[in-house]
Amino acid sequence: MSHTQVPLWLLVALQAAVSGVSLVVEIVAGRMLAPYVGMSLYTWTSIIAVVLAGFSIGHWWGGHIAERPARQALSLTGWVMLAAAVSTAGALLLLRVIGGPVLAAVEHPVWAIVTLTCGVFFLPSLFAGVPAPVLAQIAVMKEQSQSGRSLGAMFASGAVGAIAGTLLAGFVFIPWLGTALTLAIVTVIYLCASAILFALARPVRQGAAALAVAALAIVLAGLSLTRVSSCTTESQYFCIRVLDVSADHESPVRRLVLDHLSHGTSARDLPRTMFSEFTAMFDAIARGRLEPGPFSAFFIGGGTYSVPRAWADRKTGPITVAEIDPQVTRSAIENFWLEPEHMMIVDEDARVALQKRAGARYDVIVGDAFGDIAVPSHLITQEFFQLVRSRLADDGVFLMNVVDFPERLHALSAIAATLRSVFPSVEIWTEQTRPAPGEQRVFVLVAADRPTAFSSVVAEAPEPTRFAAMADSFTDQLIAQSSPAILTDDFAPIDRLLGGSF
């Protein structure tokens, strides 16, 4: 078939389809990498850069193919689409094979993210970039009298396909079908595109080899579909994993992992027992300041709902939890023995939830949205802390957890300095032990109008552990040494502050 016999609508449809599914793979890449390296600015920066690099080299390669006779160019592009199908179908399996070794071999987390992204997603992007110049060249040669319109139609179809692929990936494929099935669908579309290109280039040489490669892609997609998923549930926000860590199966204990980070552990028969340092500090410090009277609480993030569940069991007072992901709440109900009727749960971003409740006042606001390298930057800024203070009752207290490394403490000092710009009293609490070299340390910042009346507390985490407030002189020296910028909505480089380690 000559280029003049290829219908323009078919070229436009092929371009839209390939562009669409290539963007689906780009969005899915974030979900695939999250269980290994979390979801951060560095993760998305790496994904976008690697995918664009693949597209660019693919376009360059496709331009060279486009200079060949139309039939030969279509046939070669058909082979490239087979390669795209194979590399996409095997992406999940490849990531599982190289993920652990790469993270073990590459010490710096940012380079680890870049290495993983290149290893898994560069080739699918490169192959997906080849068809655009080939199809555009054929469209222009077909309609030489209206070459500008034909070229415009090809560019527009690519953009429309990319938009559609992005929307479908975020709103349909990932939350409803999951990663493996989404990649299987992309594989099938690439195989269909290859079959159409081979049909347009008839007769096709080495048809048996093409069928063998297509069969390989189908087998790889099938293996990805049948492998045990690392996620218990895939939501719009997280890869949610529920792990059984029970010592006695008659008394179950479970851990929640969101993407790559443990977000809490709960026991069915011990609702008041905390299994992590920061939840133990939240519980002990807040109750130490506010008891014996009842108090109202607002939680930024739910996770396993360990502290809300404990306070509901103690009947401390009204509890509101802002958990942005309804699937996390559903998991807490199904797997962590949460009884939602004992509190108000809103499926909203915590900042939005606080802004909406202009008349509400809480005795304690608890910030539990801090990961290691993945931190919601809009929840650590001066503007947000001002909002928090405006929602606190008289003599109310704000607590938030921070994860940092003692040899750096850049994130801790910046957040402490920002809190100090809003609250008269800011304390840094942590376990009262000397940190080991390279140890990741969990801190809890306590911000209020007055200092805490006690400077140390023993709490079960789950073993009895002593936690203490750092001296004010330590906080002064920490901030003076690092001279951190106040974090604002305009400038909150938390990824850079945490980027050296996770």
Side-chain angles (χ1 to χ4, degrees):
M1 178 180 290
S2 69
H3 61 78
T4 58
Q5 295 175 301
V6 181
L8 181 60
W9 68 264
L10 183 56
L11 298 174
V12 168
L14 277 173
Q15 174 65 9
V18 172
S19 295
V21 294
S22 66
L23 263 292
V24 169
V25 174
E26 180 178 2
I27 301 300
V28 169
R31 171 53 48 81
M32 290 171 59
L33 289 173
Y36 295 86
V37 296
M39 189 48 57
S40 68
L41 175 66
Y42 294 119
T43 310
W44 278 115
T45 300
S46 177
I47 290 169
I48 293 170
V50 168
V51 169
L52 288 179
F55 287 165
S56 299
I57 297 176
H59 292 333
W60 174 84
W61 183 17
H64 284 268
I65 293 175
E67 293 179 346
R68 297 170 180 263
R71 194 186 302 276
Q72 187 180 8
L74 288 168
S75 178
L76 287 173
T77 307
W79 282 104
V80 171
M81 285 293 92
L82 284 178
V86 170
S87 59
T88 300
L92 268 174
L93 301 174
L94 178 61
L95 181 59
R96 172 163 285 194
V97 170
I98 71 171
V102 167
L103 293 178
V106 183
E107 182 175 352
H108 197 286
V110 175
W111 287 113
I113 292 170
V114 172
T115 303
L116 274 182
T117 307
C118 288
V120 179
F121 299 106
F122 176 75
L123 285 179
S125 302
L126 183 150
F127 296 136
V130 169
V134 175
L135 298 176
Q137 172 75 350
I138 293 174
V140 169
M141 293 175 63
K142 172 182 171 56
E143 304 286 349
Q144 293 187 9
S145 61
Q146 297 180 327
S147 58
R149 295 184 182 182
S150 299
L151 193 60
M154 296 301 294
F155 275 100
S157 65
V160 170
I163 293 169
T166 302
L167 294 175
L168 287 171
F171 296 129
V172 178
F173 289 146
I174 294 175
W176 291 99
L177 303 180
T179 301
L181 184 54
T182 296
L183 290 182
I185 291 171
V186 171
T187 299
V188 170
I189 293 174
Y190 280 146
L191 290 176
C192 291
S194 175
I196 293 171
L197 290 166
F198 282 136
L200 294 175
R202 288 192 307 263
V204 180
R205 298 178 181 178
Q206 299 179 324
L211 289 175
V213 175
L216 174 61
I218 293 172
V219 169
L220 290 174
L223 290 174
S224 296
L225 283 170
T226 56
R227 94 196 207 296
V228 177
S229 174
S230 60
C231 307
T232 305
T233 306
E234 288 189 72
S235 72
Q236 289 94 330
Y237 298 94
F238 301 110
C239 167
I240 301 172
R241 288 180 282 174
V242 178
L243 309 178
D244 187 343
V245 293
S246 308
D248 178 4
H249 290 292
E250 295 300 319
S251 182
V253 181
R254 294 172 185 156
R255 177 172 298 148
L256 175 69
V257 178
L258 301 182
D259 291 337
H260 74 307
L261 185 66
S262 174
H263 273 252
T265 303
S266 288
R268 183 192 65 188
D269 303 326
L270 300 170
R272 300 184 184 186
T273 298
M274 300 295 114
F275 285 82
S276 60
E277 297 169 357
F278 71 93
T279 55
M281 284 187 276
F282 284 160
D283 179 46
I285 298 169
R287 289 195 298 109
R289 289 183 63 117
L290 299 170
E291 285 182 340
F295 55 87
S296 58
F298 183 97
F299 286 85
I300 300 168
T304 57
Y305 285 73
S306 298
V307 182
R309 180 171 171 245
W311 288 0
D313 187 69
R314 295 179 183 273
K315 297 180 172 55
T316 58
I319 298 170
T320 302
V321 182
E323 171 52 63
I324 194 171
D325 191 346
Q327 289 283 3
V328 170
T329 299
R330 189 171 297 114
S331 176
I333 295 171
E334 294 173 355
N335 301 294
F336 296 95
W337 310 283
L338 173 67
E339 297 176 344
E341 63 272 12
H342 293 160
M343 61 195 71
M344 176 186 292
I345 299 173
V346 293
D347 300 327
E348 293 179 315
D349 177 85
R351 184 162 176 170
V352 174
L354 284 174
Q355 287 172 335
K356 286 182 178 179
R357 291 156 177 79
R361 295 295 181 271
Y362 305 96
D363 295 305
V364 57
I365 297 177
V366 179
D368 181 14
F370 202 101
D372 44 21
I373 201 174
V375 181
S377 60
H378 67 297
L379 299 182
I380 57 168
T381 65
Q382 185 181 57
E383 292 87 347
F384 176 67
F385 294 151
Q386 289 169 343
L387 172 64
V388 167
R389 191 178 183 192
S390 72
R391 298 296 185 265
L392 284 173
D394 294 340
D395 205 27
V397 59
F398 172 58
L399 300 94
M400 69 172 291
N401 66 320
V402 174
V403 182
D404 209 340
F405 284 76
E407 62 267 24
R408 292 172 53 86
L409 297 182
H410 298 329
L412 180 67
S413 62
I415 296 172
T418 304
L419 275 171
R420 276 192 166 187
S421 72
V422 176
F423 289 90
S425 173
V426 176
E427 302 164 354
I428 301 175
W429 286 70
T430 190
E431 184 180 350
Q432 195 172 353
T433 58
R434 182 178 297 275
E439 174 191 1
Q440 191 177 39
R441 180 56 71 105
V442 178
F443 302 88
V444 166
L445 295 173
V446 180
D449 289 339
R450 63 172 178 85
T452 305
F454 49 92
S455 59
S456 67
V457 65
V458 175
E460 294 183 354
E463 298 299 323
T465 305
R466 180 171 291 278
F467 303 99
M470 309 298 288
D472 288 341
S473 58
F474 169 83
T475 306
D476 294 339
Q477 184 179 8
L478 175 67
I479 294 174
Q481 286 180 344
S482 57
S483 300
I486 300 299
L487 304 176
T488 67
D489 287 347
D490 179 62
F491 182 69
I494 189 64
D495 298 274
R496 174 173 59 80
L497 296 174
L498 290 167
S501 50
F502 66 86

